[in-house]
Amino acid sequence: CPHTGAQDFAKRYAEIAYKKVSDQYEKNDSQHLTKTSMQAFSNWACKLDVESCVNSSLNYFNEWEKNGTEIPPDVKEAALCSGVKSGTAETWNKVFELFKDTMSTSERQASLLALACSTNGTILSGYLNLLLNDDCPIRPQDYKTMFKSLTSTPIGINVTTDFLQNKINETLRKMWEGEEMIMLIYSYLASNVATMKEINELNVIRNFTYLSPTLKKSFDESYMEVELNSAYFERCHPLMHEWFNPSTASTTQAPSSAISNSYQYINVIVLSLFFITILVNINFFNA
């Protein structure tokens, strides 16, 4: 499967762009473009595990966690996510307290997104189950962001799928706008499932016999995206493999059992990185 080649390709260009932008940012460049570029590329580069980005983000996070040093707004999302991803339950709880206590809208958003960065399924399951509590500190207007961020990682997909498998009826009773939220969760899962196991589990959920007609109709409509994504991957896999791994293209067959995890988002990342690299090469940032 070529997605390792695609990831390496994207990571290489992310590293180039991140270094260019971060060098300019470290010079205390106050230009709006530099700040917004730093925010975007620190998020992307850290998610692609660019070492320099992860190390820098963790330095910011550790200073905040140990000494209360304020994290610059332009790198806050990447720093909080990196900290949660590499941290413990105690780390997660500290970021959750920040989410609950902050008066800053941007900081609340950054901490909310970071909470889904944990690689601990038990933590993420507890996070999702908070929505069933009467005293849930997460506002209904934050549910969409929460669901979208949770279903953007493999562990988050597993946890969210398990939630639907076991708690649809409880969600209908206890969660704000329960039926609508269940449909929203399923639609996000349908956009992001990748492995055959994930796809099969989503198919099982849409065929639960106790679903209301409204849920059944919504699930079936969302599942069409899974089928479209699968068909796209089957059709384009040979071309992508030839591009990223030309030496083995003639001997590798497209996998019939899954959509590649990478290709859910790799096209957008690669095209965006090409664009920013062009800007870098023409000295757009005046470095």
Side-chain angles (χ1 to χ4, degrees), residues 34-198:
T34 302
K35 291 184 175 183
T36 55
S37 298
M38 186 61 181
Q39 183 174 22
F41 275 91
S42 60
N43 292 336
W44 277 346
C46 284
K47 286 178 181 177
L48 288 167
D49 293 324
V50 171
E51 186 176 0
S52 56
C53 179
V54 173
N55 289 340
S56 176
S57 295
L58 284 176
N59 285 338
Y60 281 118
F61 182 85
N62 291 335
E63 282 297 312
W64 169 74
E65 186 178 32
K66 295 175 182 177
N67 304 317
T69 305
E70 183 70 19
I71 302 172
D74 312 305
V75 296
K76 185 164 290 186
E77 184 180 332
L80 293 176
C81 181
S82 295
V84 168
K85 187 176 181 179
S86 64
T88 63
E90 183 179 355
T91 308
W92 191 93
N93 286 330
K94 186 174 180 65
V95 175
F96 188 49
E97 289 302 315
L98 175 67
F99 165 76
K100 292 190 294 182
D101 296 341
T102 183
M103 300 299 292
S104 165
T105 301
S106 61
E107 189 170 64
R108 185 179 179 88
Q109 175 80 354
S111 53
L112 177 64
L113 291 169
L115 292 172
C117 294
S118 174
T119 57
N120 185 311
T122 301
I123 290 175
L124 293 181
S125 181
Y127 178 35
L128 195 50
N129 277 288
L130 286 173
L131 301 183
L132 302 178
N133 296 342
D134 292 336
D135 58 349
C136 176
I138 302 168
R139 305 172 303 177
Q141 57 263 45
D142 292 325
Y143 287 6
K144 183 176 181 179
T145 299
M146 179 181 176
F147 298 150
K148 190 173 184 178
S149 58
L150 276 170
T151 55
S152 67
T153 66
I155 183 66
I157 287 173
N158 290 339
V159 166
T160 309
T161 300
D162 182 73
F163 181 85
L164 282 189
Q165 286 173 327
N166 296 289
K167 299 196 174 181
I168 285 181
N169 287 330
E170 187 176 357
T171 300
L172 288 171
R173 296 194 309 271
K174 296 182 177 181
M175 191 183 294
W176 177 84
E177 296 289 347
E179 188 171 63
E180 184 177 341
M181 293 303 103
I182 290 170
M183 291 188 288
L184 186 61
I185 293 171
Y186 191 94
S187 69
Y188 280 135
L189 283 170
S191 297
N192 289 289
V193 291
T195 68
M196 198 64 206
K197 177 178 179 292
E198 292 167 355

Side-chain angles (χ1 to χ4, degrees), residues 20 24 276-287:
K20 185 73 173 181
Q24 193 70 9
I276 198 69
T277 302
I278 290 171
L279 296 181
V280 167
N281 286 337
I282 64 174
N283 206 27
F284 186 82
F285 294 102
N286 299 314

